Amino acid sequence: MDKAQFGKPTLADVAALAGVSEATASRVLNGSARVSIGARSHVEDAMARLGYVRWRAPRAQTSRSGSVAAIVTESSARFFSDPFFARLLWGASRTLSAAGLQLAFLVVHDQNEYAAAERYIRRGSADGVMLVSAHGRDPLLLTLQAAGIPTVVCGRPLVPCGAWYVDADNAGGARTAVGHLLRSGRRRVVTIAGPRDMAVGIDRLSGYRDMLEAAGLPALIGYGDFSQASGEHAMTRLLERRPDLDAVFAASDLMAAGALRALRRAGRRVPEDVAVVGFDDDPIAQHTMPPLTTVRQPVEEQGAVMARHVMALIEHESISETQNKLPTSLVQRESA
């Protein structure tokens, strides 16, 4: 039994569980480079298991930066090509601006960018953080929690860690999309799922599986990374595996747009031969050929709610729930 079970876990508890010295555990918390990858991983695992949060004295009002950082853990190419991020940050920026706060954003993808983001946060350049597009057990989230930085995550973290987050009803939206396809008489429904190291990808896939299982139909899954190119590639592979497919649920509008290109190249008519439904209701959904039936998620509202939560944490105000699940709805156009 962990001794931390009897009270608030300490640095000594973390070190003991990780099998390292307190000095090593401290260096991990302080972002020192003089720690092996293995030791860092053991300490971060111990922190997550114990729910360890490093105490950090609140900064005086006069020392605040007056800004909130949105840290997007994606490549620059993905960040600038996917309209989801612009919509989310616009919703957050409006809310923060009304409160007299600035929004800064950092795009981090490789090890050097992660290190730069940690330095930016540790020197007090932002009063709080909105963490966007976290993959797997994102080390940056553990770092932010250990440093006591007010943090709100976009979407459900894949690993439960007690962080505040704001999510959309991804599983429910997927069930609505697939249910629409089934009610229209489609029976060979495939999906292009999102990344398997993100809860949003897992939840949308879960909704698809639920509906196919309830209908007694087999599931067939391709995977993408939410980009248009990945949707086109996955659709091509799915056509090879199931030439007689008659419907596609894509876990993002960009992947659905890629699927439409692959279907057109293969000579399949949409929606006569194959119906297609996407997810997000991004602007591209109105301009594909044909216009895309999709699941609308309130992206701008998600950004605004995240901003309100992080401001509450900065001011040490209580938040009624540790999560918010925003509703989704089907927008029917010509593709299904």
Side-chain angles (χ1 to χ4, degrees):
M1 183 178 295
D2 292 332
K3 61 181 178 180
Q5 182 175 340
F6 299 101
K8 184 177 179 180
T10 66
L11 181 63
D13 296 326
V14 172
L17 184 59
V20 301
S21 67
E22 286 190 46
T24 296
S26 178
R27 283 196 291 273
V28 172
L29 292 179
N30 289 314
S32 171
R34 297 186 298 111
V35 181
S36 70
I37 295 175
R40 184 180 299 276
S41 176
H42 290 318
V43 171
E44 290 174 347
D45 285 344
M47 287 165 54
R49 288 178 58 188
L50 294 173
Y52 175 82
V53 177
R54 180 183 183 184
W55 183 85
R56 178 174 175 261
R59 285 183 292 178
Q61 178 73 28
T62 55
S63 68
R64 288 182 179 174
S65 69
S67 68
V68 168
I71 303 180
V72 183
T73 57
E74 291 287 356
S75 67
S76 295
R78 168 86 198 285
F79 175 78
F80 287 107
S81 65
D82 191 331
F84 170 86
F85 300 112
R87 295 172 61 194
L88 183 84
L89 297 182
W90 183 66
S93 180
R94 285 190 307 166
T95 301
L96 293 170
S97 179
L101 295 173
Q102 286 188 318
L103 175 66
F105 70 86
L106 295 79
V107 181
V108 299
H109 186 59
D110 60 30
Q111 187 173 356
N112 290 335
E113 290 169 342
Y114 268 86
E118 288 189 12
R119 290 194 299 271
Y120 178 87
I121 296 303
R122 289 185 183 280
R123 66 173 178 251
S125 298
D127 300 319
V129 169
M130 299 189 303
L131 186 60
V132 182
S133 205
H135 292 255
R137 195 188 196 103
D138 195 311
L140 195 53
L141 177 55
L142 292 175
T143 298
L144 292 166
Q145 288 185 299
I149 306 292
T151 301
V152 177
V153 184
C154 179
R156 177 177 65 86
L158 189 58
V159 179
C161 58
W164 279 269
Y165 67 90
V166 181
D167 204 1
D169 184 8
N170 292 298
R175 287 193 291 269
T176 298
V178 178
H180 173 73
L181 291 169
L182 295 175
R183 286 191 299 274
S184 68
R186 310 289 173 160
R187 286 297 177 267
R188 297 177 295 281
V189 184
V190 305
T191 187
I192 303 174
R196 285 170 276 193
D197 63 349
M198 298 180 73
V200 61
I202 293 171
D203 291 347
R204 292 176 188 179
L205 177 58
S206 175
Y208 163 82
R209 288 185 187 274
D210 288 346
M211 296 302 292
L212 267 290
E213 182 178 349
L217 298 172
L220 183 60
I221 305 162
Y223 290 93
D225 62 5
F226 292 136
S227 70
Q228 185 167 338
S230 72
E232 184 173 1
H233 176 74
M235 187 73 258
T236 301
R237 296 295 301 275
L238 287 166
L239 284 167
E240 293 171 354
R241 294 164 61 190
R242 188 70 188 267
D244 63 341
L245 63 87
D246 63 4
V248 182
F249 165 56
S252 79
D253 287 343
L254 285 177
M255 293 198 299
L260 289 173
R261 291 182 59 179
L263 289 166
R264 187 161 51 246
R265 188 171 57 247
R268 305 297 174 89
R269 298 170 300 165
V270 177
E272 294 85 354
D273 302 326
V274 181
V276 179
V277 178
F279 203 115
D280 290 332
D281 196 26
D282 279 333
I284 193 175
Q286 300 180 51
H287 302 291
T288 56
M289 293 294 292
L292 188 63
T293 294
T294 184
V295 176
R296 174 180 293 155
Q297 60 171 334
V299 179
E300 293 84 359
E301 181 184 352
Q302 187 173 2
V305 173
M306 290 179 66
R308 290 196 292 269
H309 279 9
V310 80
M311 286 191 294
L313 293 176
I314 291 169
E315 297 298 335
H316 308 287
E317 298 173 356
S318 61
I319 298 175
S320 60
E321 298 178 356
T322 58
Q323 65 184 56
N324 273 317
K325 184 181 287 187
L326 304 179
T328 57
S329 59
L330 186 72
V331 179
Q332 191 168 349
R333 298 192 180 97
E334 296 173 24
S335 69

